[in-house]
Amino acid sequence: RGWPGVVAIAAGLGLMGASFIPLALSTTFLPTAMAALDLPAALLPVAPLLVATVAFTLGGLVLSPYVVVVLSEYVGDKLIGTAYGWYYLVAALSTITVAWAAGALLDLGGAWGRVLSFGLLAVIGIAGALGVRTQRRHHDAGLELQSDGRAR
């Protein structure tokens, strides 16, 4: 039957964030030019990228089906289109902002620029997962009260 929606979203976001950790850790050890490397040595730096790609993809696959379900649980049948519009607007603005910040860090150059950029992406994904879980706990706690403020 699957995970509860908010658990899947948090797990997916966490996995997507964690997918950048291999890149942040390995970037200081990777050569900046591979022209002089033989084929086996040239393939080794690709391993963290493959791990990151698989983890990021799996995270997206885990969370995507549940976003629609959880969003509709929060708003009910009223204004569902408006809720989707706000969700996609916030998602797009977040993506633009984070991409700009990660790119600015990459522009610092060198290994530290890459470490900071990938580290930022990891922290944002993991923070998003923790935020979803925390928000859901507050939402569930609010459902314990009736409309007149008395506990059920």
Side-chain angles (χ1 to χ4, degrees), residues 5-141:
V6 90
V7 173
I9 292 171
L13 282 173
L15 186 57
M16 291 173 81
S19 72
F20 291 100
I21 293 173
L23 298 174
L25 295 176
S26 66
T27 192
T28 57
F29 304 110
L30 298 179
T32 55
M34 291 193 262
L37 298 177
D38 59 350
L39 186 58
L43 291 178
L44 186 61
V46 178
L49 181 61
L50 292 176
V51 169
T53 301
V54 169
F56 190 86
T57 302
L58 290 175
L61 290 172
V62 167
L63 77 86
S64 292
Y66 294 98
V67 169
V68 174
V69 172
V70 170
L71 188 61
S72 64
E73 285 176 3
Y74 276 90
V75 296
D77 293 334
K78 297 179 182 177
L79 300 174
I80 191 73
T82 302
Y84 284 126
W86 277 107
Y87 167 75
Y88 286 112
L89 175 65
V90 170
L93 292 175
S94 300
T95 300
I96 291 167
T97 304
V98 171
W100 172 82
L105 290 171
L106 280 174
D107 285 343
L108 294 176
W112 281 109
R114 294 188 305 267
V115 168
L116 291 173
S117 179
F118 295 134
L120 171 71
L121 295 171
V123 166
I124 287 174
I126 293 168
L130 295 173
V132 167
R133 293 291 294 162
T134 301
Q135 195 282 332
R136 184 56 183 217
R137 278 196 289 273
H138 289 279
H139 178 264
D140 290 346

